[in-house]
Amino acid sequence: MEFLDFLDGSVTPYHTVEGIRALLSQSKAGKLKIWERGGALVAVREPQEACADSKFRIALAHTDFPALKVTPNPDVRSAGIQTLHPEIYGSPIYTSWLDRDLGYAGILAYGVRGKIETKVFRSDKLVRIPQLAVHLNRGVNQDGLKVNPQTDLNALWTSREGVRFVDALKGELPEGAELLDFDVQFFDAQPARLGGLDNEWIYSGRLDNLSSCHAVALAMANAPVPRKDYLVAAFFNNEEVGSETREGAGGNFLRSVLEEVAPDVSLNRALASSLALSIDMAHAEHPNFTQKHEQNHAPILGEGIVLKTNSQKRYASDVFSNARFKMLCKEAEIPYQTFVMRNDMPCGSTVGPTVSSALGIPTVDVGEPMLSMHSIREMTAVKDHESMIGLVSALYGREILA
């Protein structure tokens, strides 16, 4: 299954962008225009006849995911072991990172012959964060495991003494190059797999939000050349930490691309009558914790895409964009469900409100239902991923609905 290969390869946002590029290179309707910025990417398919009435059909996703990032000076010697100290990125479930085979990968910035170059790399070495044995933590099964992120998440790297992590990174560089900086994170090294009696589920790290990235990139690669609308796929970085970065949804990346690609279009007017799908994963009802869900708005794995709404506007969905989404699903025969968070629990957010408010574009927040969100190993349904590909394909294949 090609999707599993995409998941296995996308171990950092930089690798995700490489995987998206590979999918887009298979475009069946000519070359796409592509812009990159720091683990983010925007792709545009231009229309046959751009005009004053041209609109934008935009799909939004994000390339990052909760992780443990290696700190600038990570080396800690303890009990005869050289360990690496991480910094928390986003909001991972700490316990899920224990007793796992972890790889490390990222991007290196280096100087060579007076120039600064970068290299995306993935080490073939594994590290591990072992749990304390039950004999030394007798109450763990009764009281639950409590993880201190400062002291309990150092990864065991080597028994060799006197070596530094930066020395290993230098081995990834060309001869004579000087390592200037790095952005490196740990990742689950276990490959993505199909599961369930009928292989109806997908088990993998990073499903949130690589599933959305894959669906958008694949739909864009297969999209026809539109008559007068611009097709746009925007993949942002840093959603998990608030999006307020140069390569995040809160930056100027997307707007600057739209201004460049459509200089003769009245941008604000066109955006006001366009449509964006903000695609991020959604909470499926957990069979063991049904009380955690709002009873009339609890999506089920395998029963369709999730429309996400929130009266506090943590999602961008509103009555106008919802109507367009529902019409699109009806025309394309895409099943959907509706999610509302319980009133006594806080609601997460997406890139949707950020982009919608900045561009003035009607936006609907949707996603595939999943379990174990923000765990190192997550779960979703094959049928729902296929439906999401179908939804984005329908967005790119149909004229904007008034």
Side-chain angles (χ1 to χ4, degrees):
M1 188 178 183
E2 176 267 343
F3 179 35
L4 303 186
D5 293 334
F6 177 81
L7 292 168
D8 290 341
S10 302
V11 294
T12 75
Y14 309 105
H15 292 81
T16 302
V17 165
E18 289 186 341
I20 291 169
R21 265 194 174 275
L23 287 172
L24 295 177
S25 70
Q26 303 169 21
S27 171
K28 294 185 170 51
K31 191 174 181 181
L32 297 159
K33 286 192 172 182
I34 295 175
W35 293 257
E36 280 188 41
R37 182 187 287 185
L41 181 149
V42 176
V44 178
R45 189 181 295 288
E46 295 181 291
Q48 301 172 29
E49 305 168 8
C51 61
D53 293 329
S54 292
K55 299 180 178 64
F56 297 94
R57 302 182 226 162
I58 303 178
L60 311 168
H62 65 87
T63 62
D64 63 320
F65 31 82
L68 305 183
K69 291 206 171 196
V70 181
T71 54
N73 300 300
D75 305 290
V76 178
R77 187 80 178 175
S78 180
I81 301 279
Q82 200 77 3
T83 69
L84 301 176
H85 180 65
E87 187 177 13
I88 307 302
Y89 179 85
S91 54
I93 300 176
Y94 300 150
T95 55
S96 68
W97 286 77
L98 307 179
D99 294 338
R100 294 277 183 177
D101 294 344
L102 305 176
Y104 58 88
I107 191 168
L108 308 176
Y110 61 94
V112 59
R113 293 185 293 276
K115 292 185 177 180
I116 295 177
E117 305 283 353
T118 60
K119 177 186 178 181
V120 175
F121 86 102
R122 175 175 179 168
S123 175
D124 60 359
K125 306 299 183 183
L126 297 177
V127 302
R128 190 174 176 86
I129 308 172
Q131 284 199 61
L132 188 63
V134 67
H135 314 79
L136 306 177
N137 190 10
R138 289 289 184 181
V140 64
N141 290 327
Q142 292 72 37
D143 303 331
L145 180 62
K146 305 226 177 349
V147 177
N148 183 317
Q150 175 62 25
T151 60
D152 300 348
L153 293 179
N154 287 1
L156 279 61
W157 179 47
T158 182
S159 57
R160 194 191 308 176
E161 193 170 0
V163 65
R164 298 183 307 155
F165 185 64
V166 292
D167 296 328
L169 295 182
K170 289 175 183 176
E172 302 283 346
L173 301 180
E175 186 175 352
E178 176 191 5
L179 180 64
L180 300 173
D181 205 355
F182 61 86
D183 182 358
V184 175
Q185 63 192 60
F186 299 132
F187 64 89
D188 176 29
Q190 184 179 356
R193 296 288 301 274
L194 296 180
L197 181 61
D198 299 313
N199 284 336
E200 65 264 49
W201 298 321
I202 301 168
Y203 306 150
S204 177
R206 307 173 294 279
L207 286 170
D208 176 20
N209 192 34
L210 296 185
S211 292
S212 305
C213 290
H214 178 264
V216 173
L218 195 62
M220 176 61 98
N222 292 320
V225 177
R227 185 171 63 86
K228 65 176 184 177
D229 291 343
Y230 291 84
L231 309 186
V232 182
F235 308 89
F236 298 107
N237 198 353
N238 303 139
E239 188 274 346
E240 299 292 351
V241 292
S243 295
E244 295 299 320
T245 64
R246 191 173 68 94
E247 51 278 312
N252 71 342
F253 188 23
L254 178 55
R255 187 175 189 93
S256 65
V257 167
L258 298 183
E259 290 173 345
E260 179 179 338
V261 78
D264 298 325
V265 174
S266 176
L267 193 59
N268 291 334
R269 185 176 65 181
L271 287 168
S273 56
S274 297
L275 181 65
L277 296 182
S278 169
I279 308 174
D280 207 340
M281 301 301 278
H283 296 290
E285 185 174 22
H286 196 303
N288 299 338
F289 300 93
T290 56
Q291 72 278 9
K292 294 292 186 179
H293 302 266
E294 210 290 314
Q295 60 181 354
N296 291 333
H297 305 89
I300 304 298
L301 279 177
E303 294 196 6
I305 290 167
V306 177
L307 168 62
K308 300 190 282 187
T309 70
N310 180 256
S311 62
Q312 303 296 329
K313 294 304 174 185
R314 300 292 289 167
Y315 302 130
S317 308
D318 60 26
V319 64
F320 309 105
S321 59
N322 290 355
R324 292 184 178 186
F325 163 78
K326 292 177 181 180
M327 183 67 76
L328 195 61
C329 286
K330 181 180 180 181
E331 290 190 350
E333 299 182 341
I334 303 291
Y336 70 89
Q337 313 171 73
T338 305
F339 172 79
V340 173
M341 182 63 82
R342 288 175 58 105
N343 285 328
D344 54 2
M345 297 179 69
C347 182
S349 191
T350 69
V351 300
T354 302
V355 172
S356 183
S357 60
L359 296 184
I361 182 171
T363 303
V364 60
D365 266 296
V366 298
E368 297 170 37
M370 68 175 296
L371 296 172
S372 303
M373 187 181 289
H374 285 205
S375 172
I376 196 173
R377 196 82 177 164
E378 300 169 323
M379 174 179 175
T380 192
V382 172
K383 284 173 59 178
D384 295 329
H385 187 60
E386 292 172 347
S387 292
M388 184 59 76
I389 295 170
L391 175 68
V392 187
S393 298
L395 173 75
Y396 288 153
R398 287 170 166 77
E399 295 298 318
I400 290 295
L401 300 164

